[in-house]
């Protein structure tokens, strides 16, 4: 069975992450009837409708209801199930009409059906392989190992005065050297939205600021004013560093979602690597001809370029 393209693989990975990490919460009220399995009486999963000769079971309604948004899943079953049943009947009627019109034999439809089946298999495999690994206990263990005991990022508390020209910034620096108040000059000259607050930027990490500003601010000591104007895409800055500190590591709650997503991505990468390692894979040129050994080292042709023939 042919796998879907890499872009679809990525989509499956994202989808599997949503299925694994954000599984729907159980609906309030009575639980839906469990799907019938081998050895289970038909009464446990009764037929609730027929469209031509195709049966719709109670378990079909329960499965469809679990895929609805939370606000709908919380509806009482006696209200929700008739709505879902009507939708399933409509869908089955459309399927019957499509089959009657011969669409199941249409090559384009066949391809879409095959791709949908392939994607469903990929999603099921990834969910079952990765899902059991991404538990709250596993996330906590990962947090303790990689986050909890590591120092946080360096932070700077600074003020700045933003002006339009280098000459004006030099004039501000000259006034500061003569003893002028940084806050007063910020209120008088700065075009930044924080001017009314004396140019106070609060605490920030290096990645929070544009590179030119961050490089200058993080190279200064507390109490130091930049000797020369700092130019960025916003204009010319005069910087005063007030304090520096090492931020504490993020709490488990703060790091939880990022750790979970990373664990899902790592799990997906592993199952994809295992699957490709176990498969016999042959690659061909875009014109269908066999690849030479040198072809494997050549970059792929640009979009629209004619593939080279051996």
């Amino acid at each position: 069975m042919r796998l879907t393209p890499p872009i679809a693989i990525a989509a499956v990975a994202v989808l599997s992450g949503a299925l694994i990490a954000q599984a729907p919460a159980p609906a309030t009220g009575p639980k839906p009837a469990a799907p019938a399995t081998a050895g289970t009486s038909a009464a446990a999963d009764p037929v609730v409708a027929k469209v031509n000769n195709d049966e719709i079971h109670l378990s079909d309604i329960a499965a469809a209801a679990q895929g609805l948004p939370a606000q709908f899943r919380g509806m009482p079953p006696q209200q929700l199930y008739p709505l879902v049943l009507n939708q399933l009947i409509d869908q089955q009627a459309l399927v019957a009409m499509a089959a009657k019109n011969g669409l199941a034999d249409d090559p384009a439809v066949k391809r879409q059906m095959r791709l949908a089946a392939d994607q469903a298999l990929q999603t099921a495999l990834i969910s079952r392989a990765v899902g059991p690994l991404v538990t709250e206990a596993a996330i906590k263990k990962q947090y303790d190992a990689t986050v909890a005991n590591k120092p946080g990022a360096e932070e700077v508390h600074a003020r700045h005065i933003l002006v339009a020209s280098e000459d004006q910034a030099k004039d501000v620096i000259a006034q500061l050297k003569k003893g002028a108040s940084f806050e007063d000059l910020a209120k008088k000259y700065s075009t930044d939205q924080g001017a009314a607050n004396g140019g106070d930027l609060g605490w920030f990490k290096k990645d929070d600021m544009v590179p030119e500003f961050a490089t200058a601010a993080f190279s200064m000591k507390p109490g130091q004013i930049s000797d020369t104007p700092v130019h960025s895409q916003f204009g010319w800055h005069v910087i005063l560093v007030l304090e520096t500190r090492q931020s504490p590591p993020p709490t488990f709650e703060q790091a939880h979602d990022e750790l979970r997503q990373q664990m899902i991505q790592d799990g997906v990468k592993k199952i994809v690597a295992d699957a490709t390692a176990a498969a016999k894979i042959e690659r061909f040129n875009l014109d269908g001809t066999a690849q030479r050994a040198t072809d494997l080292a050549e970059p792929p042709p640009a979009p629209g370029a004619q593939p080279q023939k051996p």
Side-chain angles (χ1 to χ4, degrees):
M1 183 173 291
R2 186 174 58 180
L3 291 176
T4 53
I7 293 177
I9 288 284
V12 170
V14 173
L15 178 59
S16 69
L19 292 174
I20 294 165
Q22 300 175 354
T28 58
K31 293 184 179 180
T37 56
T40 302
S41 71
D45 189 25
V47 175
V48 292
K50 284 186 178 182
V51 179
N52 297 329
N53 292 323
D54 294 311
E55 298 178 342
I56 299 175
H57 290 259
L58 182 61
S59 60
D60 297 324
I61 298 180
Q66 285 300 307
L68 295 174
Q71 62 267 32
F72 294 107
R73 295 198 310 272
M75 293 173 59
Q78 61 268 26
Q79 296 179 13
L80 177 62
Y81 278 26
L83 298 176
V84 177
L85 177 59
N86 287 338
Q87 185 180 39
L88 293 178
I89 290 173
D90 292 344
Q91 292 173 352
Q92 196 59 47
L94 288 171
V95 170
M97 179 177 287
K100 184 177 180 180
N101 292 339
L103 291 180
D105 297 323
D106 183 280
V109 176
K110 281 185 174 181
R111 182 175 183 276
Q112 292 175 354
M113 293 171 65
R114 184 175 67 251
L115 292 176
D118 287 353
Q119 183 167 324
L121 287 171
Q122 293 172 49
T123 301
L125 175 64
I126 290 172
S127 296
R128 295 184 184 187
V130 180
L133 304 178
V134 189
T135 63
E136 286 301 305
I139 297 173
K140 182 62 166 64
K141 183 177 180 181
Q142 185 74 0
Y143 171 81
D144 292 338
T146 62
V147 178
N149 297 321
K150 294 199 174 175
E154 183 182 359
E155 293 183 330
V156 165
H157 179 198
R159 297 180 185 269
H160 83 135
I161 298 172
L162 177 65
V163 293
S165 70
E166 183 179 12
D167 289 340
Q168 188 178 11
K170 288 181 177 179
D171 179 64
V172 168
I173 293 174
Q175 292 185 55
L176 291 169
K177 288 182 177 180
K178 292 179 180 179
S181 166
F182 196 98
E183 294 183 50
D184 291 343
L185 294 184
K187 294 175 182 177
K188 183 177 181 179
Y189 296 114
S190 184
T191 60
D192 184 68
Q193 60 184 1
N197 196 30
D200 195 342
L201 295 169
W203 290 98
F204 55 87
K205 297 180 177 64
K206 198 167 187 177
D207 292 341
D208 294 337
M209 299 297 181
V210 292
E212 302 87 352
F213 187 97
T215 299
F218 279 81
S219 65
M220 297 164 60
K221 298 178 180 179
Q224 183 180 354
I225 296 174
S226 51
D227 293 327
T228 57
V230 177
H231 186 241
S232 78
Q233 65 195 69
F234 299 104
W236 294 87
H237 307 264
V238 178
I239 304 171
L240 166 62
V241 170
L242 300 174
E243 303 171 86
T244 61
R245 70 181 183 187
Q246 201 82 20
S247 66
T251 64
F252 176 67
E253 289 72 19
Q254 292 170 334
H256 179 278
D257 291 348
E258 184 176 349
L259 287 173
R260 179 186 63 187
Q261 188 62 29
Q262 185 60 54
M263 291 173 67
I264 291 172
Q265 292 176 0
D266 292 344
V268 170
K269 289 179 181 178
K270 183 179 185 305
I271 191 64
V272 170
D274 291 345
T276 54
K280 179 182 179 182
I281 299 173
E282 298 177 83
R283 300 182 185 275
F284 300 91
N285 293 314
L286 296 183
D287 60 358
T289 57
Q291 286 189 342
R292 299 168 298 178
T294 55
D295 292 335
L296 300 177
E298 295 175 358
Q306 293 296 324
Q308 296 181 351
K309 293 184 179 180

